[in-house]
Amino acid sequence: MAVLPILTAPDRRLKQIAKPVAEVNDSLRQLMDDMAETMYAAVGIGLAAPQVGISQRVICIDLNHAHEGHEKNPIFIANPVIVHAEGEICWKEGCLSIPEYTAEVTRSSRVIVHGLDRNNQSLTLEGTELLAVCLQHEIDHLNGKLFIDHISMLKRSMLMKKLKKQKEGD
Ligand code: NI
């Protein structure tokens, strides 16, 4: 397993629509494992393949790993699709691709997602609260969307100016 570099905004690769996965084969499992390793190393709770520069519809989530002593138990989903969404929840979100920034985003409070698991089997996952938020956040990444696309245009343009400046300063 390898820790991959995480792209940070602004980066045009984060704005691309990722391609569907044909099947979850060994090379895709390798990508999934590398994504998990990368997510744990960065102390994140979710990661989407476009964040490591891979334009494929794959996400990885583990809500509990940040707690000390918790066993790693990542959820991998290829080609995730939200087939049902209801309710409303407001959550303070962050993203490994936008370091040191959080903002409140309103999303559905319960979602049902279909996709393929690490063994290429169909999977149905129901998420409420933080899991619902995380699933929507990661699936957004596959559609070239960041959580800051849900905040006001004014806030977003101020943040993007700052992020651009930080990158130029590197
Ligand atoms: Ni993110």
Side-chain angles (χ1 to χ4, degrees), residues 40-113:
Y40 293 127
V43 198
I45 58 171
L47 190 74
Q51 292 181 274
V52 291
I54 308 287
S55 188
Q56 298 225 57
R57 303 188 80 81
V58 180
I59 63 171
C60 169
I61 292 174
D62 191 342
L63 299 184
N64 295 315
H65 88 279
H67 300 301
E68 224 168 310
H70 176 78
E71 228 172 279
K72 290 174 181 173
N73 190 17
I75 301 168
F76 299 107
I77 314 175
N79 300 341
V81 177
I82 296 170
V83 296
H84 178 83
E86 65 181 59
E88 210 176 86
I89 191 168
C90 184
W91 205 279
K92 197 184 230 182
E93 296 187 25
C95 179
L96 294 175
S97 293
I98 310 168
E100 288 160 35
Y101 184 79
T102 57
E104 287 193 345
V105 175
T106 300
R107 299 188 188 264
S108 301
S109 60
R110 176 174 175 263
V111 294
I112 297 175
V113 172

Side-chain angles (χ1 to χ4, degrees), residues 14 46-48 51 93-98 107 134 137-138 140-141 145-147:
L14 292 171
L47 190 74
Q51 292 181 274
E93 296 187 25
C95 179
L96 294 175
S97 293
I98 310 168
R107 299 188 188 264
C134 203
H137 177 122
E138 301 312 329
D140 265 0
H141 274 299
K145 211 166 167 186
L146 301 172
F147 81 94

Side-chain angles (χ1 to χ4, degrees), residues 24 76-79 113-125:
V24 182
F76 299 107
I77 314 175
N79 300 341
V113 172
H114 284 178
L116 291 171
D117 69 11
R118 196 176 173 281
N119 298 312
N120 201 44
Q121 301 297 306
S122 22
L123 154 161
T124 300
L125 182 67

